[in-house]
Amino acid sequence: MGEAAEHRFNRKSAAPVLIAAMQDLAQRSGRRLEDMDQMRLGDAYDLAVKLYGENLPEYWVVWNSWNVLPDTPAPMGDL
């Protein structure tokens, strides 16, 4: 997953879309959003996979797709 998995959810400074994803995850797991504060995003993703299975919300699908890409940029090719 890379470095992004180590980032922590901070509900006071997170983007609204991440807050919404974490709020939904909190509700599905029987927690409060406050309980999710400072959770590693990699752990949140793993929890989402466990709770949603094949119905993983688009936010987590996109988050994972961004974080499994290689760190090295692809060659530009001929311009």
Side-chain angles (χ1 to χ4, degrees), residues 28-57:
R28 284 192 173 250
S29 64
R31 303 175 191 187
R32 299 176 309 136
L33 183 61
E34 294 79 14
D35 298 335
M36 308 291 274
D37 204 35
Q38 299 305 312
M39 176 182 250
R40 289 178 58 252
L41 291 182
D43 293 338
Y45 173 77
D46 291 342
L47 180 59
V49 168
K50 179 181 174 186
L51 293 175
Y52 295 102
E54 292 182 13
N55 298 318
L56 193 62

